[in-house]
Amino acid sequence: MERPIVTDLSGKTVVITGAARGIGAEAARQAVAAGANVVIADVLAEEGAATAADLGERARFHSLDVTSEEHWAETIAFTKREFGGVTGLVNNAGISTGQPFETETLEHFRKVLEINLVGVFLGMRAVVPDFKSTGGGSIVNISSAAGLMGLAFTGSYGATKWGVRGLTKVAAVENGTANIRVNSIHPGMTYTPMTSVTGIQEGAGNYPNTPMGRVGEPAEIAAAVVFLLSDAASYITGAELAVDGGWTAGPTMKYVMGE
């Protein structure tokens, strides 16, 4: 889905994790279209490099394991060398899960925790000093609808996304006077390479338990990311933006009416 770019990111440099494909890649595309320099940071080297090449001279790829403090330092240093600094961060990298929490192994729970929550913590901590020294910046953390409600079969995933939601608010409170804005986006079911394995389909009528009756598209999530990165959102921090077709607003009329 092609969306018009209505916000301006000219002069900004944004690091986007998990940007080799899916929502992250679309956020990178829209950020470049809005005028930003973008570093695509991902463990998927081949796909990440291809995405950067497709986006042109204002995009670069850098390999990043979000669970590694050293990798984060290298990524920020790379961004400074390539573009002179960093003014925005999108913590998008994550993995999903779908099983009852009682059958989930401790090993898997810790793996999801490390990538989905510790990775966000390390990313924010990596950029805040530079943001403070340059007068501010914007951090957008990708949480989930599963971070706004209890969702069955998302034990580790849901726990981390609630954690991202809370960590976002703490960081916003602590850094507001430094002109550092920190917000979270909570996508509903969105059609991406990660979620396609669940059997969801694109288009109307394929997710009837949302008020809008369909799954989301990466472009719709990315548009919210670009807005929060931009100066158009200059007085928004500590917010949680649900981009979920109304999923977390409540049950659909069909459910209420028993249809």
Side-chain angles (χ1 to χ4, degrees), residues 12-53:
K12 299 185 184 298
T13 295
V14 183
V15 175
I16 305 177
T17 70
R21 61 185 188 179
I23 292 172
E26 179 60 24
R29 186 194 71 79
Q30 290 194 23
V32 168
N37 301 315
V38 174
V39 171
I40 293 166
D42 207 311
V43 293
L44 301 175
E46 186 174 341
E47 290 178 79
T51 299

Side-chain angles (χ1 to χ4, degrees), residues 58-113:
R58 284 190 284 107
R60 302 284 190 278
F61 169 75
H62 193 264
S63 181
L64 170 65
D65 173 358
V66 295
T67 69
S68 168
E69 195 169 10
E70 292 76 16
H71 278 209
W72 270 110
E74 292 168 3
T75 299
I76 300 307
F78 171 83
T79 304
K80 290 179 178 180
R81 290 195 303 271
E82 292 296 309
F83 296 122
V86 56
T87 59
L89 169 66
V90 181
N91 280 309
N92 168 72
I95 57 174
S96 186
T97 184
Q99 57 188 306
F101 80 88
E102 62 184 308
T103 63
E104 185 167 21
T105 66
L106 177 60
E107 179 183 20
H108 184 263
F109 188 92
R110 283 177 169 161
K111 178 181 179 181
V112 177
L113 181 71

Side-chain angles (χ1 to χ4, degrees), residues 155-168:
S156 56
Y157 180 80
T160 59
K161 293 306 185 178
W162 278 84
V164 168
R165 177 188 180 190
L167 190 60
T168 296

Side-chain angles (χ1 to χ4, degrees), residues 3 6-7 23 27 30 90 138 140 142 181 183-187 217-230 233 236 241-244:
R3 296 275 173 186
V6 297
T7 46
I23 292 172
Q30 290 194 23
V90 181
S138 176
V140 181
I142 305 301
R181 298 184 297 103
N183 295 288
S184 60
I185 289 177
H186 299 256
E217 298 182 19
E220 295 173 305
I221 314 302
V225 171
V226 171
F227 166 68
L228 288 175
L229 287 170
S230 77
I236 301 175
L241 177 57
V243 188
D244 64 356

